[in-house]
Amino acid sequence: MNRTMADRIRARGYDDFQPSFTGVLAHIDTEGTRVGTLAQRMGVSRQAASQRLQEIEALGYLERVPDPNDGRAVIARHTPAGRQILLTAIEVMLGIESEYETILGSDGLKRLKRLLTRLADKIDPSGALESK
């Protein structure tokens, strides 16, 4: 699904979009997220989160700014281009889910989501697999 999503986002003009971006962009709050919090959500080290941020920041989708409440902390936030690609990703995801619903039916899709959530909670409670 992640690969299909990335392919469709690239087809909409974001040629530089990589499947690994999804796990980062999806964990950034509307007003921005501290790098340490982002790392925790992604299940990776601060260093790994910073490295991924740097890649995406170089493409202009994210920026890092000082936290106004704590001069030692850094906040990652979407740029206007990052917000646009996030909206595109949501549209693409809804389209994919609609296709799955056509195949499985509404109840089948709901059941699939419940089962996948239950499986992920058991085999990856920290969310570490999401970042791979």
Side-chain angles (χ1 to χ4, degrees):
M1 178 186 258
N2 198 29
R3 184 170 26 124
T4 299
M5 189 166 150
D7 290 345
R8 290 182 184 183
I9 291 170
R10 283 193 293 268
R12 290 185 177 206
Y14 296 97
D15 299 333
D16 51 8
F17 187 83
Q18 297 299 316
S20 62
F21 294 2
T22 312
V24 178
L25 294 172
H27 288 297
I28 304 287
D29 296 328
T30 306
E31 300 301 318
T33 302
R34 284 184 174 194
V35 175
T37 302
L38 179 62
Q40 185 178 23
R41 289 176 182 175
M42 293 170 56
V44 300
S45 68
R46 281 181 58 97
Q47 183 178 14
S50 289
Q51 188 174 21
R52 290 213 179 108
L53 280 172
Q54 187 175 9
E55 295 170 21
I56 300 170
E57 186 177 30
L59 297 171
Y61 298 124
L62 293 176
E63 62 183 354
R64 287 182 274 189
V65 298
D67 184 334
N69 300 317
D70 182 351
R72 301 167 296 162
V74 174
I75 293 178
R77 64 183 183 197
H78 296 99
T79 62
R83 283 190 292 280
Q84 188 57 52
I85 202 170
L86 186 60
L87 291 173
T88 299
I90 291 168
E91 289 175 15
V92 167
M93 178 56 68
L94 291 173
I96 292 170
E97 284 191 5
S98 178
E99 292 170 21
Y100 288 2
E101 186 173 17
T102 298
I103 296 167
L104 300 173
S106 180
D107 289 340
L109 181 61
K110 288 176 188 172
R111 184 166 187 258
L112 175 63
K113 286 181 177 182
R114 278 194 316 272
L115 289 170
L116 289 172
T117 299
R118 187 169 140 206
L119 180 62
D121 288 346
K122 292 294 182 187
I123 66 171
D124 186 33
S126 69
L129 290 175
E130 180 178 320
S131 62
K132 296 188 182 194

